[in-house]
Amino acid sequence: MFNFIIFGPPGSGKGTQSVQIAEKYNLAHISTGEIFRKNIREKTELGIKVQSIIESGELVPDELLVAILEDAMDSRNGVSGFVFDGFPRTIQQAKDLEVCLKKRNDAVSMVLALEVNDEEIVERLLKRAQDQGRKDDTREVIENRILVYNNQTQPLCSYYKDQELLISINGIGSIDEIFNKICELINARI
Ligand code: AMP
């Protein structure tokens, strides 16, 4: 199995790239943000619990992620692996993912970090707010999400670097350029 983590600040393009990578390599795309948004739309118990957290740009508590992850992985058969998009976001989640994969005699194969500077991110997310109307794409929430990313998620870079799993690329460029670069890196690994 090829278990690929795509990692980057909000607005770095990881969602767009994940969809294309999943399709090309027959991987299941797991976006925890999408799972939460679906639950909020459907007003499930989970959705009601996480709505205000997500709308403030904070992270949903780690303990809620484990069940979601297991569920998402169990519901996908016949794939050659997973693309994890927006997960893990904390060191604890990275450890939980390892346990979950180990249970399946599996492991993380590769972590790709998309590097995009803060000014570019704010600009991209404000544009996305106009196009998609996401509730967490207001300037105030965007600034908080960047702060949360830098404080809680960025430390994962050195965690995966130490395990020699991390590859960083510049996330500024056309969607196709970045996709081709990612494919080259994946092809060199599989
Ligand atoms: P995303 O679509 O990945 O930007 O996620 C949107 C929001 O969902 C985040 O700002 C968090 O509030 C929440 N979220 C998504 N994935 C996670 C995660 N792995 N851990 C904690 N919160 C998450």
Side-chain angles (χ1 to χ4, degrees), residues 8-66:
S12 57
K14 53 188 193 315
T16 309
Q17 296 296 337
S18 298
V19 172
Q20 296 190 191
I21 294 159
E23 197 183 355
K24 181 170 165 103
Y25 295 96
N26 184 36
L27 309 175
H29 174 211
I30 298 185
S31 159
T32 44
E34 280 299 329
I35 294 171
F36 287 133
R37 281 187 288 280
K38 182 167 187 283
N39 276 275
I40 291 172
R41 274 197 307 274
E42 293 173 358
K43 299 191 166 54
T44 65
E45 201 180 318
L46 174 70
I48 292 163
K49 208 185 262 180
V50 300
Q51 182 162 13
S52 62
I53 303 176
I54 290 181
E55 287 175 4
S56 69
E58 295 293 319
L59 293 186
V60 171
D62 290 337
E63 54 276 16
L64 286 181
L65 269 297
V66 184

Side-chain angles (χ1 to χ4, degrees), residues 4 10 32 36 42 58 79 86 88 101 108-109 115 126 133 135 148-149 151 160 174 179 188:
F4 181 79
T32 44
F36 287 133
E42 293 173 358
E58 295 293 319
V79 289
L101 287 169
V108 173
S109 311
E115 290 180 345
L126 287 173
K135 281 243 176 70
V148 166
Y149 177 81
N151 290 338
Y160 283 122
S174 75
F179 180 61

